[in-house]
PDB file of all heavy atoms in Angstrom:
ATOM      1  N   PRO S 514     -42.482   0.911  -2.695  1.00 93.00           N
ATOM      2  CA  PRO S 514     -41.900   2.228  -2.407  1.00 93.00           C
ATOM      3  C   PRO S 514     -41.428   2.380  -0.968  1.00 93.00           C
ATOM      4  O   PRO S 514     -41.977   3.152  -0.200  1.00 93.00           O
ATOM      5  CB  PRO S 514     -43.056   3.193  -2.744  1.00 93.00           C
ATOM      6  CG  PRO S 514     -44.278   2.390  -2.461  1.00 93.00           C
ATOM      7  CD  PRO S 514     -43.952   0.975  -2.867  1.00 93.00           C
ATOM      8  N   ARG S 515     -40.377   1.631  -0.589  1.00 96.00           N
ATOM      9  CA  ARG S 515     -39.904   1.634   0.788  1.00 96.00           C
ATOM     10  C   ARG S 515     -38.380   1.622   0.800  1.00 96.00           C
ATOM     11  O   ARG S 515     -37.782   0.607   0.435  1.00 96.00           O
ATOM     12  CB  ARG S 515     -40.469   0.435   1.559  1.00 96.00           C
ATOM     13  CG  ARG S 515     -40.226   0.417   3.054  1.00 96.00           C
ATOM     14  CD  ARG S 515     -40.890  -0.801   3.650  1.00 96.00           C
ATOM     15  NE  ARG S 515     -40.816  -0.805   5.114  1.00 96.00           N
ATOM     16  CZ  ARG S 515     -40.298  -1.820   5.839  1.00 96.00           C
ATOM     17  NH1 ARG S 515     -39.804  -2.896   5.240  1.00 96.00           N
ATOM     18  NH2 ARG S 515     -40.284  -1.766   7.154  1.00 96.00           N
ATOM     19  N   SER S 516     -37.784   2.697   1.221  1.00 97.00           N
ATOM     20  CA  SER S 516     -36.301   2.766   1.248  1.00 97.00           C
ATOM     21  C   SER S 516     -35.723   2.274   2.535  1.00 97.00           C
ATOM     22  O   SER S 516     -34.499   2.189   2.685  1.00 97.00           O
ATOM     23  CB  SER S 516     -35.862   4.209   1.015  1.00 97.00           C
ATOM     24  OG  SER S 516     -36.403   5.090   1.997  1.00 97.00           O
ATOM     25  N   TYR S 517     -36.555   1.900   3.494  1.00 98.00           N
ATOM     26  CA  TYR S 517     -36.176   1.442   4.844  1.00 98.00           C
ATOM     27  C   TYR S 517     -34.998   0.496   4.808  1.00 98.00           C
ATOM     28  O   TYR S 517     -35.010  -0.526   4.105  1.00 98.00           O
ATOM     29  CB  TYR S 517     -37.397   0.771   5.463  1.00 98.00           C
ATOM     30  CG  TYR S 517     -37.143   0.027   6.758  1.00 98.00           C
ATOM     31  CD1 TYR S 517     -37.126   0.688   7.980  1.00 98.00           C
ATOM     32  CD2 TYR S 517     -36.942  -1.343   6.760  1.00 98.00           C
ATOM     33  CE1 TYR S 517     -36.950   0.003   9.159  1.00 98.00           C
ATOM     34  CE2 TYR S 517     -36.747  -2.057   7.948  1.00 98.00           C
ATOM     35  CZ  TYR S 517     -36.744  -1.372   9.150  1.00 98.00           C
ATOM     36  OH  TYR S 517     -36.536  -2.084  10.315  1.00 98.00           O
ATOM     37  N   ALA S 518     -33.959   0.832   5.579  1.00 98.00           N
ATOM     38  CA  ALA S 518     -32.773  -0.013   5.835  1.00 98.00           C
ATOM     39  C   ALA S 518     -31.911  -0.276   4.631  1.00 98.00           C
ATOM     40  O   ALA S 518     -30.896  -0.987   4.739  1.00 98.00           O
ATOM     41  CB  ALA S 518     -33.213  -1.377   6.442  1.00 98.00           C
ATOM     42  N   ILE S 519     -32.249   0.326   3.495  1.00 98.00           N
ATOM     43  CA  ILE S 519     -31.463   0.083   2.276  1.00 98.00           C
ATOM     44  C   ILE S 519     -30.715   1.355   1.883  1.00 98.00           C
ATOM     45  O   ILE S 519     -29.542   1.301   1.520  1.00 98.00           O
ATOM     46  CB  ILE S 519     -32.344  -0.451   1.132  1.00 98.00           C
ATOM     47  CG1 ILE S 519     -32.859  -1.836   1.508  1.00 98.00           C
ATOM     48  CG2 ILE S 519     -31.596  -0.475  -0.188  1.00 98.00           C
ATOM     49  CD1 ILE S 519     -33.780  -2.476   0.510  1.00 98.00           C
ATOM     50  N   THR S 520     -31.343   2.533   1.945  1.00 98.00           N
ATOM     51  CA  THR S 520     -30.609   3.796   1.771  1.00 98.00           C
ATOM     52  C   THR S 520     -30.097   4.189   3.155  1.00 98.00           C
ATOM     53  O   THR S 520     -30.868   4.630   4.009  1.00 98.00           O
ATOM     54  CB  THR S 520     -31.516   4.878   1.178  1.00 98.00           C
ATOM     55  OG1 THR S 520     -32.692   5.014   1.998  1.00 98.00           O
ATOM     56  CG2 THR S 520     -31.936   4.547  -0.229  1.00 98.00           C
ATOM     57  N   ILE S 521     -28.806   4.033   3.408  1.00 98.00           N
ATOM     58  CA  ILE S 521     -28.274   4.100   4.776  1.00 98.00           C
ATOM     59  C   ILE S 521     -27.310   5.241   5.016  1.00 98.00           C
ATOM     60  O   ILE S 521     -26.627   5.251   6.022  1.00 98.00           O
ATOM     61  CB  ILE S 521     -27.616   2.762   5.156  1.00 98.00           C
ATOM     62  CG1 ILE S 521     -26.509   2.370   4.181  1.00 98.00           C
ATOM     63  CG2 ILE S 521     -28.667   1.656   5.266  1.00 98.00           C
ATOM     64  CD1 ILE S 521     -25.687   1.180   4.594  1.00 98.00           C
ATOM     65  N   ALA S 522     -27.222   6.210   4.084  1.00 97.00           N
ATOM     66  CA  ALA S 522     -26.278   7.308   4.264  1.00 97.00           C
ATOM     67  C   ALA S 522     -26.585   8.142   5.490  1.00 97.00           C
ATOM     68  O   ALA S 522     -25.697   8.851   5.984  1.00 97.00           O
ATOM     69  CB  ALA S 522     -26.256   8.183   3.009  1.00 97.00           C
ATOM     70  N   ASP S 523     -27.812   8.114   5.985  1.00 97.00           N
ATOM     71  CA  ASP S 523     -28.185   8.898   7.161  1.00 97.00           C
ATOM     72  C   ASP S 523     -27.865   8.196   8.475  1.00 97.00           C
ATOM     73  O   ASP S 523     -28.028   8.806   9.533  1.00 97.00           O
ATOM     74  CB  ASP S 523     -29.673   9.293   7.090  1.00 97.00           C
ATOM     75  CG  ASP S 523     -30.597   8.075   7.091  1.00 97.00           C
ATOM     76  OD1 ASP S 523     -30.147   6.976   6.714  1.00 97.00           O
ATOM     77  OD2 ASP S 523     -31.783   8.237   7.436  1.00 97.00           O
ATOM     78  N   VAL S 524     -27.431   6.934   8.437  1.00 98.00           N
ATOM     79  CA  VAL S 524     -27.202   6.211   9.676  1.00 98.00           C
ATOM     80  C   VAL S 524     -25.869   5.452   9.737  1.00 98.00           C
ATOM     81  O   VAL S 524     -25.375   5.165  10.839  1.00 98.00           O
ATOM     82  CB  VAL S 524     -28.332   5.199   9.981  1.00 98.00           C
ATOM     83  CG1 VAL S 524     -29.610   5.911  10.353  1.00 98.00           C
ATOM     84  CG2 VAL S 524     -28.556   4.268   8.794  1.00 98.00           C
ATOM     85  N   ALA S 525     -25.274   5.105   8.627  1.00 98.00           N
ATOM     86  CA  ALA S 525     -24.080   4.263   8.602  1.00 98.00           C
ATOM     87  C   ALA S 525     -22.844   5.098   8.380  1.00 98.00           C
ATOM     88  O   ALA S 525     -22.732   5.796   7.345  1.00 98.00           O
ATOM     89  CB  ALA S 525     -24.214   3.194   7.500  1.00 98.00           C
ATOM     90  N   PRO S 526     -21.876   5.064   9.262  1.00 98.00           N
ATOM     91  CA  PRO S 526     -20.683   5.925   9.115  1.00 98.00           C
ATOM     92  C   PRO S 526     -19.786   5.464   7.985  1.00 98.00           C
ATOM     93  O   PRO S 526     -19.593   4.268   7.751  1.00 98.00           O
ATOM     94  CB  PRO S 526     -19.970   5.782  10.461  1.00 98.00           C
ATOM     95  CG  PRO S 526     -20.378   4.424  10.959  1.00 98.00           C
ATOM     96  CD  PRO S 526     -21.800   4.238  10.499  1.00 98.00           C
ATOM     97  N   ARG S 527     -19.256   6.455   7.241  1.00 98.00           N
ATOM     98  CA  ARG S 527     -18.287   6.218   6.166  1.00 98.00           C
ATOM     99  C   ARG S 527     -18.724   5.052   5.259  1.00 98.00           C
ATOM    100  O   ARG S 527     -17.966   4.122   5.021  1.00 98.00           O
ATOM    101  CB  ARG S 527     -16.892   5.939   6.750  1.00 98.00           C
ATOM    102  CG  ARG S 527     -16.178   7.209   7.193  1.00 98.00           C
ATOM    103  CD  ARG S 527     -14.731   6.930   7.582  1.00 98.00           C
ATOM    104  NE  ARG S 527     -14.041   8.175   7.859  1.00 98.00           N
ATOM    105  CZ  ARG S 527     -13.220   8.779   7.014  1.00 98.00           C
ATOM    106  NH1 ARG S 527     -13.017   8.267   5.812  1.00 98.00           N
ATOM    107  NH2 ARG S 527     -12.609   9.888   7.331  1.00 98.00           N
TER     108      ARG S 527
END
Side-chain angles (χ1 to χ4, degrees):
R515 188 178 186 236
S516 58
Y517 169 85
I519 293 178
T520 55
I521 56 172
D523 61 338
V524 289
R527 282 187 174 260

